């Protein structure tokens, strides 16, 4: 996700900021910029790489400044949309991470009051709000400005006549690095480890005034807060992964936030009837590759269950060679990267066939956005591990949202039913948090998989694709041959392969397939295969037939793929880790497959 750095001290701010930005590159970004207070306030920003920015920038003298790496969410990657933003007088600069939910309403109001906007971003309202509230005290202006804002932020601002910067945090990380005669603020410690290992973590609702030799933290009521610094013992490489051993694990643990962000504005748009599409569709076709294909398979269950619309799923690599008959369905292309060659080709083919197209992607400004009629952006933030994790669960969120939107349009669900489901969705980050709290239990349960040559993943109904995804995760990062199967298909062939050396991972939730699934697990047990079951908390019947059980909180069965997916991700991760595999960069695989 975006990265922030701010500096106040005796060094040339330009050097410290550029160094900090380079260290934040691992978070992923599409543009970068900095603002420095010298004889005046100067801003340099651009689309593309920091190396390009730094080589095109003149030497700027000054000892106070802010820098930013942007991962586009609101407005495409461009020079205009890059941070920092200046107010109309050119005297204040702001950088921001997070989402300002009410930015459209604020922008309109500010424009009516005479402010001139230069970008498409939500962030720009912040600098205009600061300008509006500034009466000689930047910190006071920030506190007033934030009262008008709905959303999440880590925000840092400077003024041309100041020697201090001001900052605030809500649901986006912000940390202060305490140096000797100099101080730094950043979105994570990676950016400051070159200068100090003393860190002060800022909490939600707090604001900060930071100068070269003094840092003051204020609580939500404006009282000063005393906090002792923590000593950071990480290396720069450790810090990049937030202390996690691998990006994949970090990204698995980021899922509560990724899901929260992906739902944030969308649930309001659903409520107001403006989400994703404006026409009902007689049928839906979901098209994707790999993990995104599995999200599409879950999507079929969701759309058919909620909106009662016939839905088909096709692999993007097959779609364009298929005959393509019937009325043009709404064709939904799922691709986290937005650059998968087969999915792009499928999008073109869908349009050639006269189908309305909608893309679901995580990358603003990616190629798919130019190939379709409408785009829905998930907000998982950048994913660095090759194995898709948080981009998958946020694609699932997109499928729930699409299912409800279609159901709303054709009145297949009542307002109360939609409200009930959205409130359960809002609780999803909490449920995922509970699964993550049990990661150590999952780690222990994977011992049975580590020596295996082959593993089967079994599920039924909406969790059949969840187990296909589990098998894909395991094979790509642990190099164990794994197959996902619909449990009812077992007796039609694969049962011949089961014996004591072939473990089975089985998903069993209390939906209408529960009894059948228990029976399938017993069939497996009769062939001596070790069974690792994933079930709901407190399911004694399941525990009785399995060798080992890991459990997820009880949720509405239609939402069960979300916590179950997190469970299979953890199973794959810990198995691969015990086998000593290069988890973030599996052999022969690339994050984005741009060849067909
Ligand atoms: O970027 P996309 O979602 O279009 O990528 C499609 C697949 O290449 C991708 O999902 C792949 O299967 C995952 N990296 C597997 O974890």
């Amino acid at each position: 996700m975006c990265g922030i750095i701010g500096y106040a001290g005796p060094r040339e701010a330009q050097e410290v900021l550029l160094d900090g930005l380079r260290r934040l590159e691992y978070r992923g970004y599409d543009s970068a910029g900095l603002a420095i207070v010298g004889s005046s306030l100067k801003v340099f920003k651009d689309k593309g790489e920091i190396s390009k920015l730094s080589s095109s920038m003149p030497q700027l003298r000054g000892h106070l400044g802010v820098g930013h790496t942007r991962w586009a969410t609101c407005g495409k990657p461009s020079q205009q949309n890059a941070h920092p933003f200046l107010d109309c007088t050119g005297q204040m600069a702001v950088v921001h991470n997070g989402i300002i939910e009410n930015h459209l309403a604020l922008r309109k109001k500010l424009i009516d009051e005479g402010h001139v906007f230069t970008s498409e971003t939500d962030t720009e309202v912040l600098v205009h709000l600061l300008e509006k509230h500034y009466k000689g005290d930047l910190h006071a202006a920030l506190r007033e400005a934030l009262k008008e804002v709905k959303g999440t932020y880590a925000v840092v601002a400077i003024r041309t006549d100041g020697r201090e910067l001001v900052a605030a945090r809500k649901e986006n990380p912000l940390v202060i690095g305490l140096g000797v005669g100099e101080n730094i603020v950043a979105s994570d410690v990676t950016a400051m480890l070159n200068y100090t290992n003393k860190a002060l973590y800022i909490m939600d609702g707090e604001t900060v005034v930071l100068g070269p030799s003094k840092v003051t933290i204020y609580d939500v009521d404006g009282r000063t807060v005393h906090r002792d610094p923590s000593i950071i013992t990480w290396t720069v490489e450790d810090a990049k992964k937030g202390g996690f051993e691998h990006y994949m694990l970090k990204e698995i643990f980021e899922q509560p936030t990724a899901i929260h962000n992906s739902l944030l504005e969308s649930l309001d748009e659903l409520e107001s009837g403006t989400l994703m599409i404006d026409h009902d569709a007689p049928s839906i076709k979901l098209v994707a590759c790999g993990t995104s294909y599995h999200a599409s398979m879950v999507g079929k269950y969701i759309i058919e269950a909620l909106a009662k619309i016939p839905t088909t799923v096709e692999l993007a690599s097959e779609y364009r060679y298929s005959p393509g008959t019937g009325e043009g369905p709404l064709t939904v292309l799922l691709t986290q990267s937005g650059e998968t060659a087969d999915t792009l080709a499928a999008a073109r083919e869908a349009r050639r066939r006269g189908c309305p197209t909608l893309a679901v992607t995580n990358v603003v400004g990616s190629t798919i956005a130019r190939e379709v009629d409408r785009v829905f952006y998930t907000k998982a933030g950048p994913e660095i591990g090759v194995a898709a994790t948080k981009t998958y669960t946020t694609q699932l969120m997109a499928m729930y949202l699409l299912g409800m939107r279609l159901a709303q349009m054709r009145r297949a669900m009542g307002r109360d039913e939609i409200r009930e489901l959205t409130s359960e969705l809002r609780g999803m980050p909490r449920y995922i948090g509970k699964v993550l709290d049990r990661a150590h239990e999952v780690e222990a349960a994977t011992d049975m998989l580590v020596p295996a040559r082959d593993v089967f993943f079994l599920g039924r109904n909406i969790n059949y694709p969840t187990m296909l995804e589990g098998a894909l995760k395991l094979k790509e990062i642990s190099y164990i041959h794994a197959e996902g199967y619909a449990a009812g298909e077992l007796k039609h062939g694969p049962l011949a392969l089961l014996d004591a050396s072939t473990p089975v991972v089985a998903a069993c939730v209390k939906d209408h397939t529960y009894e059948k699934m228990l029976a399938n697990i017993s069939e497996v047990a009769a062939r001596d295969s070790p069974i690792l079951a994933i079930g709901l908390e407190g399911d004694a019947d399941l525990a009785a037939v399995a060798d080992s059980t890991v459990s997820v909180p009880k949720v509405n069965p239609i939402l069960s793929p979300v916590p179950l997916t997190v469970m299979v991700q953890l199973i794959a991760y810990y198995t691969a880790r015990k086998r000593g595999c290069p988890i973030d960069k599996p052999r022969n695989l690339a994050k984005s497959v741009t060849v067909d």
Side-chain angles (χ1 to χ4, degrees), residues 248 288-294 334-344 360-361 363 383 385-389 391-392 395 469 472-473 476-477 589-593:
M248 181 181 176
C289 297
T291 289
S292 299
Y293 178 70
H294 298 150
L334 287 88
T335 164
Q336 66 80 21
S337 63
E339 302 295 346
T340 299
D342 283 318
T343 313
L344 292 174
V360 174
T361 183
V363 182
E383 191 174 68
V386 164
T389 52
T391 54
Y392 178 75
Q395 283 174 340
E469 175 59 9
L472 178 66
K473 288 290 90 101
E476 77 177 321
I477 63 168
L589 298 180
K591 183 73 191 157
S592 155
V593 185

Side-chain angles (χ1 to χ4, degrees), residues 6 12 30 136 139 149 158 186 220 241 245 253 262 317 335 341 359 370 374 378 383 443 492 502 514 569:
E12 287 300 337
D30 44 53
H139 180 236
V149 163
I158 50 174
V220 81
K241 294 177 190 148
E245 200 176 331
F253 273 78
S262 296
S317 52
T335 164
R370 296 195 292 274
R374 302 287 288 260
T378 52
E383 191 174 68
E443 181 172 8
H492 299 292
T502 313
Y514 178 72
Q569 293 168 350

Side-chain angles (χ1 to χ4, degrees), residues 6-219:
Y7 177 78
R11 298 177 207 251
E12 287 300 337
Q14 187 178 13
E15 276 166 38
V16 181
L17 297 177
L18 283 172
D19 178 50
L21 290 181
R22 276 186 212 106
R23 289 175 193 284
L24 292 170
E25 275 188 305
Y26 78 95
R27 296 166 72 99
Y29 68 104
D30 44 53
S31 51
L34 46 79
I36 291 177
V37 174
S39 50
S40 61
L41 179 59
K42 294 248 161 47
V43 174
F44 274 85
K45 56 184 189 177
D46 209 348
K47 186 178 160 182
E49 306 211 334
I50 291 162
S51 53
K52 191 178 123 209
L53 182 83
S54 63
S55 60
S56 61
M57 192 184 295
Q59 165 119 65
L60 298 174
R61 304 210 82 86
H63 304 284
L64 179 73
V66 289
H68 190 264
T69 50
R70 174 173 189 253
W71 166 266
T73 54
C74 185
K76 60 183 182 304
S78 67
Q79 203 259 346
Q80 288 87 338
N81 290 339
H83 302 212
F85 293 103
L86 292 180
D87 70 327
C88 299
T89 66
Q91 305 214 36
M92 303 190 207
V94 162
V95 291
H96 161 240
N97 292 350
I99 299 170
I100 307 301
E101 282 173 59
N102 57 339
H103 72 101
L104 288 176
L106 287 173
R107 175 184 279 252
K108 186 171 176 311
K109 200 166 134 203
L110 287 159
I111 289 173
D112 289 346
E113 289 167 10
H115 293 262
V116 178
F117 281 71
T118 57
S119 80
E120 305 161 305
T121 66
D122 54 338
T123 297
E124 199 183 346
V125 297
L126 289 174
V127 78
H128 293 288
L129 284 174
L130 269 185
E131 181 183 2
K132 171 176 160 182
H133 291 288
Y134 183 74
K135 296 188 179 69
D137 179 344
L138 191 58
H139 180 236
L142 180 65
R143 294 181 68 87
E144 281 308 306
L146 293 177
K147 285 184 191 159
E148 298 200 39
V149 163
K150 207 173 133 200
T152 63
Y153 46 79
V155 56
V156 184
I158 50 174
R159 245 192 85 86
T160 188
D161 49 5
R163 290 208 62 219
E164 294 168 331
L165 53 79
V166 298
R169 171 201 156 133
K170 187 177 169 213
E171 292 178 38
N172 274 260
L174 201 61
V175 58
I176 307 292
L178 297 176
V180 179
E182 61 182 351
N183 292 304
I184 294 177
V185 60
S187 35
D188 71 50
V189 293
T190 333
M192 60 181 61
L193 282 178
N194 248 1
Y195 308 94
T196 180
N197 64 350
K198 277 194 201 161
L200 279 177
Y201 289 94
I202 304 306
M203 304 297 156
D204 271 355
E206 290 179 345
T207 55
V208 182
V209 178
L210 180 149
S213 48
K214 195 170 172 209
V215 174
T216 314
I217 304 174
Y218 298 87
D219 71 9

Side-chain angles (χ1 to χ4, degrees), residues 258-427:
I259 287 174
H260 173 83
N261 288 346
S262 296
L263 290 174
L264 211 67
E265 289 168 75
S266 309
L267 287 176
D268 291 345
E269 285 169 20
L270 179 68
E271 179 86 30
S272 62
T274 55
L275 183 75
M276 286 191 204
I277 45 171
D278 44 25
H279 286 102
D280 189 11
S283 64
I284 311 286
K285 186 177 284 293
L286 302 163
V287 183
C289 297
T291 289
S292 299
Y293 178 70
H294 298 150
S296 308
M297 289 178 77
V298 179
K300 170 183 161 68
Y301 285 86
I302 295 169
I303 294 167
E304 291 188 341
L306 300 183
K308 317 277 185 273
I309 303 183
T311 304
T312 51
V313 185
E314 274 193 59
L315 287 165
S317 52
E318 292 294 322
Y319 172 79
R320 57 186 159 132
Y321 305 112
S322 67
T325 54
E327 252 187 284
L330 169 63
T331 303
V332 186
L333 300 119
L334 287 88
T335 164
Q336 66 80 21
S337 63
E339 302 295 346
T340 299
D342 283 318
T343 313
L344 292 174
R348 286 172 207 135
E349 175 62 14
R351 295 194 78 182
R352 198 193 61 76
R353 291 179 189 181
C355 305
T357 50
L358 167 72
V360 174
T361 183
N362 193 47
V363 182
V364 175
S366 54
T367 309
I368 193 87
R370 296 195 292 274
E371 302 283 351
V372 291
D373 303 316
R374 302 287 288 260
V375 188
F376 176 79
Y377 290 109
T378 52
K379 297 200 171 81
E383 191 174 68
I384 292 163
V386 164
T389 52
K390 58 179 181 166
T391 54
Y392 178 75
T393 44
T394 53
Q395 283 174 340
L396 295 186
M397 292 304 122
M399 293 296 97
Y400 291 113
L401 291 163
L402 178 61
M404 286 191 288
R405 175 73 181 124
L406 290 163
Q408 180 186 56
M409 291 177 96
R410 53 174 45 208
R411 303 197 202 299
M413 284 172 92
R415 278 180 92 96
D416 290 347
E417 280 178 290
I418 292 185
R419 258 196 212 123
E420 208 172 300
L421 194 58
T422 56
S423 113
E424 288 183 84
L425 271 177
R426 282 186 209 273

